Amino acid sequence: MLDTLLTLPEGGLPKLIWLSAVFSIFNTMQCMVSPLGMTRRIYSQQPQQVTPLTSHVFAAWTALSAILRYKCAFNMGNPLIYDLTFWSYVIAGTHFTSEIIAFRTIRFPGPVISTFCVAFSSIVWMMKDRDLYVN
């Protein structure tokens, strides 16, 4: 694992994106193996809306995001991968914001706080450093 971190491009952003990909893989597995566990904790204001199917759909999205983020962490200079990864964080941030404010299915702060912080810090950092990585 340390060897992988050493081959990432310079700077903290690729490492954050890589770490986000790793955690996304664990979240995907959790949603598939124990679909009602953590997902119901996240959507704690409306846990009855969480079903194995919704958890599996969430797992599929999270797996796709993990793959995209992993590829981005090692290919920060590729504008297509960089931009798609950026938009994956925007979608995640928008989803959780809408669930907190509009749909009121998530209690904030709560278990979603780490996901929320990673999404929004990644959005800001990727906007700030885009010209540094994308030629």
Side-chain angles (χ1 to χ4, degrees):
M1 187 145 125
L2 185 57
D3 291 345
T4 301
L5 287 173
L6 295 175
T7 62
L8 287 167
E10 287 187 34
L13 182 57
K15 291 165 186 65
L16 172 68
I17 293 171
W18 180 84
L19 194 58
S20 172
V22 170
F23 284 124
S24 293
I25 291 166
F26 287 118
N27 188 281
T28 297
M29 290 187 305
Q30 178 273 319
C31 286
M32 294 303 285
V33 173
S34 177
L36 300 179
M38 180 58 94
T39 310
R40 280 202 172 148
R41 284 190 57 221
I42 291 173
Y43 298 93
S44 63
Q45 300 301 96
Q46 298 287 328
Q48 71 280 3
Q49 290 187 25
V50 176
T51 66
L53 176 61
T54 59
S55 191
H56 294 155
V57 170
F58 194 76
W61 160 257
T62 305
L64 177 61
S65 296
I67 293 165
L68 192 57
R69 293 168 187 174
Y70 182 84
K71 293 299 282 182
C72 182
F74 290 96
N75 298 282
M76 297 291 289
N78 183 314
L80 179 62
I81 294 174
Y82 192 96
D83 291 344
L84 288 172
T85 302
F86 169 81
W87 284 107
S88 78
Y89 287 115
V90 171
I91 291 167
T94 302
H95 165 73
F96 287 114
T97 300
S98 69
E99 293 297 331
I100 292 165
I101 295 171
F103 304 116
R104 302 191 188 285
T105 58
I106 296 175
R107 184 178 51 83
F108 189 82
V112 76
I113 190 81
S114 60
T115 304
F116 204 76
C117 290
V118 169
F120 283 101
S121 62
S122 298
I123 290 167
V124 171
W125 201 345
M126 289 185 82
M127 286 190 322
K128 181 181 107 24
D129 283 359
R130 186 180 194 286
D131 292 338
L132 181 69
Y133 290 104
V134 177
N135 301 334

